[in-house]
Amino acid sequence: MKNNAKRDAVIALGVVLALGSAVVLAGTDSTFATATTWLNDKLTGSLGKTFALGSLAVGLGIGIVQQSVMAVAVGVGMALTASIAPGILSGIFSAVM
């Protein structure tokens, strides 16, 4: 019974989000445009590269100490996220439906 209730709740949430997304127009509000531009510039610039290289280095270091590949995989995932995600999110929020 619990699995059916969880499934029904997930389906209901999906329907609500799908219907709600038709009403939302992302990117039309310019209240935080200055902050968004500043943060996007920093994350796609040298600060984002620093985060990416730092997380990769930490992942490699922890992987060597623990003799585990998982820490390296997390470091690589964080590095990819730090370098690619700002561009993806900007594209999502500026998309026109």
Side-chain angles (χ1 to χ4, degrees):
M1 285 298 215
K2 287 185 179 182
N3 288 336
N4 288 337
K6 287 180 183 180
R7 184 193 61 189
D8 293 342
V10 169
I11 291 172
L13 179 64
V15 169
V16 168
L17 291 176
L19 293 175
S21 65
V23 178
V24 175
L25 297 174
T28 58
D29 183 24
S30 62
T31 305
F32 297 103
T34 304
T36 303
T37 303
W38 178 82
L39 189 59
N40 191 28
D41 290 344
K42 296 301 177 196
L43 289 177
T44 56
S46 59
L47 182 64
K49 289 179 186 175
T50 303
F51 283 157
L53 291 173
S55 64
L56 180 62
V58 169
L60 287 171
I62 292 173
I64 290 171
V65 170
Q66 292 183 347
Q67 296 180 353
S68 171
V69 180
M70 286 308 298
V72 177
V74 170
V76 169
M78 288 297 296
L80 287 172
T81 302
S83 61
I84 296 174
I88 293 172
L89 288 176
S90 294
I92 289 171
F93 285 116
S94 64
V96 177
M97 292 186 191

